[in-house]
Amino acid sequence: MQEKRWLESDAFIGSAMVDSISAPQERILRWLGGFSPTMEKAWDVTRDLSLPGISEALGVVRSALNSPLSKLEEEGLVFKRKAHVIGGGSRRRHVYHLTDEGRQLLEGLAEEEQNEASNIGTLHGTAPQLGHTHGRQQFAEEVAEQMREQHCMILSGLPGIGKTTVGGLVSEHLLNSGLNVRWAQVDEFTDVHALCQQWGLKGPLPNDTHALAEYVVQKCKNEALVIDDAHLIHERHLDSIQSLCGLLDEAKATHMLMIGREPLSFPGAPLRIAVPALDAKDAALLLGQSMDETTRIHIAESLGGHPLAIMLHEEGTPLPEAGADIQSYVENVVLSTLDASMRSGLDHLVMVPMPIEASKAFDSDVVGNLDDYAFLRWTSGLEKMEVQHLVRNVRRSAFDEETLRQLHKAAVVHWEQVAETQEDRVILLYHRIASLDDGLEAQLEGEMDRLLGTHSGAFSVLLEQAIKVSVNPSHLHYLAGKVALERCEHNHAKRHLEFIEDAGESRHIALGLAMLEGRVSDAEELIEAGLNSAMQGDANKMALAAASSRLDDRVFGQEDPTLGHDVKHYLSKVDLSGEAPDKRSVVLVAMSMIQHALALYEGEFTKAQRMRASLAGISGLNEPLVQGMEAKAQLSAAKSSEERAIGVQAMKAAIEIQTNPMRADALQLSLIEQLIEHEPVEAKELLDSLPKPPTVASNATQHRLNARWWTCTSKAQPSLRRIALREAIAQHRAAGCPRAAKVLETQLHLLL
């Protein structure tokens, strides 16, 4: 009663009441005081105001908050209500706020000392948001000091031992010393480009590994690069990520830290540091002050100083026997307290391959309860969640094959209903494959175009998983080979080629591989074999594709004495006698466009004009396609500066009316190629206005545009010249243009 009378009197709030609250109560007041009073009546509130959020922020188990929170409620300083926690499931949960008296008391508390560094580094990526930590500061400082001296090192340890926490503390020390930190949280679908994007590197990112490494060095020199959960990287992408890390280590320009469970195999990482268990006294601090110190230390020792095991411990539950491992403790003690509903919800959640929104969980009603049990870990912005890896691993290991399959089948039904984003489609495909769903090949082929542009790394992993469970995986190997070619990964394309049984599919991948590896004579032999052995309709497609590739197989301004002969040879193989009328028209237009481009290259402008007139008769004189061809002809035929200026204006007008974005980009690249030697400033402005090329192209035409964009970039941006030339070479090869690649290789060698 005495304390309540003091609260009613402003004169005593800054003195006696301040002295009356305990240290845990003060920490709670300071934490809750960081949130606006408007949250007190909001329907949606942040998880930071719930019991799990407060627990993580203060670095203690949830049960340790019961006593100080209850006393704060009794004294009228804190009140509790139910609200919907943003992203935390469908059920309302208890959240806590300061009362007016609590805020008034908080104002009277002495301000915490702030150690402001004058030169703080910049953080890129989603590093963990650390609450109060115990017993890790000195260890983290030592690791940070060693990291400053190393260019590549590994931080390893048991699941739940605190590797990410230590990595976060190391990052804080590096940031405080003025070093920039780039943090990536990876999973089994992360490829080398997704890794770099998490590091905050903006596209377009090169596919060529050496070009990418040089780009990273240029953008991240003397910075710290962190890869958390590195053990999750799928074998499909491990080689490319290892290669990048190896090149970065050789360059000695960055400081890399790999965090994960052993075994971790990364080149150039001689220093491996294992994260130890917490000292018993430090570990006991996780239990708060609701029990005596002797009991807390006994619990900490029984749980081996393992932080997550201690956070999962519930007061009154049995402790493990001496010598028992943490995994068996989690399975036999921690999980045994769950009722059937929560266990079912947990079982479905452990099957998800990546963090998801709580609203899309199989049973979102149990998310709040699982969070209260500390079973969940959240992304840094609290948008998504997943089961703690220790709990996930323990639970998954308890399932037999039939149980796993049934859980995946249930997940297929669920994700068919909730899948909205491309990432959701990846999860759905993952469950389809794991449940041995019918028609996998058709489903993967149907999703290929949709996912290749943005999630090719995940899609390539899904194909590998499907191949492993397929009885007859020949066509899946073909799809995987196609994906590898689009990603410029010749080693993976070669690996899949060995298992393709269909002759046509095998020839397709073999041809792309020969082009990608620059084996021109092998590629020509494969083309001829296809022209002579395929059905006529397929032969016509191959002839047009070969003629188009050969026409583009040169760098702008390069003389090629055999180009005309080769293009005409391929076109001579086209036979329209068996084509249906609608297909015949399409083939004729394609042939006319190729012949028109060849006429411009050979300077036969009258012949080119006749072809445009013929096309205009088919598609109409004002068609954007014909106007673009007319503008290209004007610019190609220009001999004086005045004629060139007229041609430039015609090209700009033609670009404006294009309805096909890819054709508009092609025309703009043609304009840039014409201008870059004479009007470099205008050319660079036009290049900057173009959409950046996608990291993964979905067809040969896009690869050619990418190659031309990178070639122009090598001239417009001297600082990126070597990087751009390397990538232009890779894109030309992927487009089926090995001669152009060879010309650029000569230019690159002069720079090395």
Side-chain angles (χ1 to χ4, degrees):
M1 293 298 296
Q2 183 70 30
E3 290 179 358
K4 290 185 179 180
R5 286 196 296 273
W6 280 339
L7 282 172
E8 294 167 1
S9 173
D10 291 346
F12 288 97
I13 285 178
S15 55
M17 186 58 199
V18 171
D19 296 333
S20 70
I21 64 172
S22 66
Q25 289 174 302
E26 180 178 340
R27 287 197 293 271
I28 292 171
L29 288 176
R30 290 191 182 279
W31 176 251
L32 296 180
F35 298 92
S36 169
T38 59
M39 300 293 288
E40 295 167 10
K41 296 182 179 180
W43 170 256
D44 291 322
V45 298
T46 175
R47 176 176 175 272
D48 292 325
L49 292 171
S50 70
L51 198 62
I54 301 171
S55 167
E56 289 174 12
L58 303 187
V60 295
V61 297
R62 299 163 314 291
S63 59
L65 296 174
N66 293 333
S67 175
L69 271 173
S70 296
K71 289 181 180 177
L72 288 171
E73 285 186 81
E74 291 172 5
E75 293 166 355
L77 302 176
V78 165
F79 72 94
K80 175 175 66 178
R81 70 184 181 100
K82 280 194 172 183
H84 179 248
V85 173
I86 299 171
S90 54
R91 288 184 178 176
R92 292 194 304 162
R93 300 159 66 182
H94 281 122
V95 294
Y96 297 83
H97 306 280
L98 292 187
T99 62
D100 290 340
E101 291 83 357
R103 292 190 182 279
Q104 193 173 6
L105 173 61
L106 185 60
E107 291 176 4
L109 294 172
E111 291 295 327
E112 291 181 328
E113 294 182 5
Q114 299 292 328
N115 297 318
E116 296 186 1
S118 59
N119 183 26
I120 301 294
T122 301
L123 174 65
H124 302 271
T126 54
Q129 293 183 347
L130 301 178
H132 190 74
T133 58
H134 304 286
R136 294 299 195 194
Q137 285 293 349
Q138 183 176 346
F139 179 69
E141 287 180 22
E142 294 170 356
V143 175
E145 189 59 39
Q146 289 174 307
M147 191 173 170
R148 292 187 191 95
E149 300 172 357
Q150 300 287 328
H151 293 287
C152 187
M153 58 184 286
I154 288 174
L155 190 66
S156 64
L158 298 171
I161 201 68
K163 300 181 294 295
T164 298
T165 297
V166 172
L169 290 172
V170 169
S171 297
E172 287 184 356
H173 286 299
L174 296 175
L175 288 166
N176 290 334
S177 70
L179 207 64
N180 293 340
V181 175
R182 297 179 182 268
W183 186 286
Q185 181 82 46
V186 302
D187 57 38
E188 64 179 306
F189 296 133
T190 302
D191 65 0
V192 71
H193 289 112
L195 172 67
C196 290
Q197 287 165 357
Q198 286 203 55
W199 280 340
L201 296 172
K202 307 298 182 184
L205 297 172
N207 283 275
D208 180 87
T209 304
H210 285 83
L212 182 59
E214 189 168 346
Y215 183 77
V216 173
V217 166
Q218 190 176 114
K219 298 296 182 181
C220 310
K221 192 171 184 179
N222 295 323
E223 296 184 347
L225 308 176
V226 181
I227 304 176
D228 193 18
D229 282 337
H231 60 278
L232 294 178
I233 298 171
H234 194 276
E235 59 184 355
R236 173 61 175 78
H237 301 306
L238 187 58
D239 285 347
S240 58
I241 292 177
Q242 285 179 335
S243 296
L244 174 66
C245 293
L247 290 170
L248 294 177
D249 186 41
E250 287 177 17
K252 307 299 181 188
T254 60
H255 305 274
M256 286 182 294
L257 178 64
M258 265 67 74
I259 305 174
R261 300 200 306 271
E262 296 287 7
L264 282 175
S265 176
F266 281 88
L271 183 59
R272 293 171 180 261
I273 300 177
V275 176
L278 285 171
D279 175 85
K281 287 189 176 180
D282 291 321
L285 296 174
L286 293 169
L287 296 165
Q289 298 179 5
S290 59
M291 60 184 80
D292 63 86
E293 184 178 11
T294 301
T295 302
R296 286 185 281 130
I297 290 178
H298 172 66
I299 293 172
E301 289 176 339
S302 298
L303 294 173
H306 191 286
L308 181 57
I310 294 171
M311 295 298 285
L312 292 172
H313 175 71
E314 290 288 333
E315 193 170 347
T317 57
L319 294 169
E321 298 292 333
D325 60 28
I326 294 301
Q327 282 83 355
S328 61
Y329 168 72
V330 171
E331 173 65 22
N332 299 325
V333 177
V334 176
L335 296 179
S336 67
T337 63
L338 300 182
D339 61 29
S341 173
M342 285 183 62
R343 183 177 286 268
S344 174
L346 177 66
D347 287 350
H348 286 288
L349 202 52
V350 300
M351 306 309 295
V352 182
M354 63 177 74
I356 60 170
E357 299 167 35
S359 61
K360 291 183 178 178
F362 186 89
D363 182 1
S364 62
D365 283 348
V366 305
V367 169
N369 291 333
L370 294 175
D371 196 22
D372 287 340
Y373 273 82
F375 287 165
L376 305 182
R377 73 175 196 171
W378 298 76
T379 56
S380 60
L382 301 180
E383 306 95 347
K384 297 181 178 182
M385 55 86 208
E386 63 179 339
V387 176
Q388 292 278 6
H389 289 186
L390 172 61
V391 177
R392 183 188 67 186
N393 297 344
V394 168
R395 196 69 198 119
R396 277 188 183 177
S397 66
F399 299 145
D400 57 33
E401 288 189 12
E402 183 57 29
T403 301
L404 285 169
R405 190 171 302 168
Q406 292 304 319
L407 285 168
H408 283 299
K409 284 185 176 181
V412 168
V413 176
H414 171 71
W415 283 96
E416 283 177 334
Q417 298 170 348
V418 302
E420 299 171 332
T421 66
Q422 289 182 322
E423 199 165 80
D424 294 342
R425 303 298 298 177
V426 168
I427 296 174
L428 175 56
L429 281 174
Y430 168 82
H431 288 301
R432 285 193 189 281
I433 294 165
S435 64
L436 303 180
D437 207 1
D438 294 332
L440 271 180
E441 286 186 6
Q443 291 162 9
L444 285 162
E445 197 159 19
E447 293 286 357
M448 188 165 172
D449 288 341
R450 186 192 308 202
L451 295 175
L452 197 56
T454 56
H455 289 75
S456 71
F459 193 72
S460 56
V461 169
L462 291 172
L463 283 170
E464 296 287 344
Q465 293 171 341
I467 286 169
K468 287 183 178 180
V469 300
S470 175
V471 177
N472 182 18
S474 174
H475 187 62
L476 291 173
H477 279 293
Y478 168 66
L479 296 179
K482 284 179 65 176
V483 171
L485 290 176
E486 301 298 3
R487 290 169 56 88
C488 303
E489 298 171 321
H490 63 93
N491 286 335
H492 288 292
K494 185 182 299 183
R495 174 169 59 87
H496 289 294
L497 177 60
E498 297 178 10
F499 301 98
I500 301 174
E501 298 170 0
D502 181 83
E505 291 180 345
S506 178
R507 188 184 305 114
H508 182 186
I509 301 302
L511 174 58
L513 183 59
M515 292 291 192
L516 193 60
E517 294 181 336
R519 296 182 280 112
V520 179
S521 59
D522 290 346
E524 290 175 340
E525 288 180 10
L526 287 163
I527 291 172
E528 291 299 326
L531 292 174
N532 295 326
S533 66
M535 298 292 289
Q536 190 56 51
D538 293 336
N540 287 344
K541 290 180 182 178
M542 178 168 279
L544 291 173
S548 180
S549 294
R550 182 66 184 92
L551 187 63
D552 287 335
D553 194 5
R554 62 188 177 89
V555 177
F556 178 77
Q558 167 201 351
E559 293 297 324
D560 187 338
T562 66
L563 186 146
H565 171 271
D566 294 344
V567 172
K568 292 170 185 175
H569 166 70
Y570 291 133
L571 292 181
S572 71
K573 298 290 185 177
V574 176
D575 182 355
L576 297 176
S577 59
E579 293 282 12
D582 56 337
K583 291 185 178 180
R584 186 179 305 168
S585 176
V586 172
V587 173
L588 281 171
V589 170
M591 286 182 68
S592 297
M593 291 179 65
I594 292 171
Q595 290 168 334
H596 179 268
L598 180 60
L600 294 185
Y601 170 74
E602 294 178 334
E604 297 183 11
F605 299 111
T606 303
K607 180 180 178 180
Q609 187 175 14
R610 288 199 303 269
M611 292 188 175
R612 292 197 301 277
S614 175
L615 277 171
I618 298 173
S619 54
L621 183 62
N622 293 322
E623 283 291 322
L625 171 65
V626 179
Q627 290 196 31
M629 295 169 72
E630 172 69 34
K632 283 187 72 173
Q634 276 188 269
L635 195 54
S636 298
K639 294 181 180 178
S640 64
S641 58
E642 291 79 9
E643 290 177 341
R644 185 179 296 110
I646 294 172
V648 168
Q649 292 308 311
M651 282 286 278
K652 289 181 177 179
I655 291 167
E656 287 293 325
I657 66 167
Q658 296 302 311
T659 56
N660 183 310
M662 196 172 288
R663 194 174 295 142
D665 291 349
L667 285 173
Q668 187 149 324
L669 282 166
S670 295
L671 178 55
I672 292 166
E673 288 165 344
Q674 292 276 0
L675 290 175
I676 205 157
E677 301 296 339
H678 306 285
E679 301 290 343
V681 175
E682 183 179 1
K684 187 176 184 307
E685 290 175 353
L686 288 170
L687 185 63
D688 290 341
S689 69
L690 264 178
K692 301 298 186 288
T695 299
V696 177
S698 57
N699 53 58
T701 301
Q702 186 64 64
H703 278 298
R704 289 173 205 154
L705 293 179
N706 290 1
R708 292 169 66 189
W709 186 91
W710 284 103
T711 303
C712 291
T713 298
S714 72
K715 297 178 180 179
Q717 298 189 48
S719 64
L720 293 177
R721 189 166 191 205
R722 293 196 311 184
I723 296 169
L725 281 175
R726 287 187 191 275
E727 185 59 15
I729 291 166
Q731 291 292 332
H732 270 304
R733 286 177 172 169
C737 302
R739 295 172 183 83
K742 193 165 186 177
V743 171
L744 295 180
E745 277 185 325
T746 302
Q747 295 180 22
L748 177 62
H749 289 157
L750 294 175
L751 299 176
L752 298 176

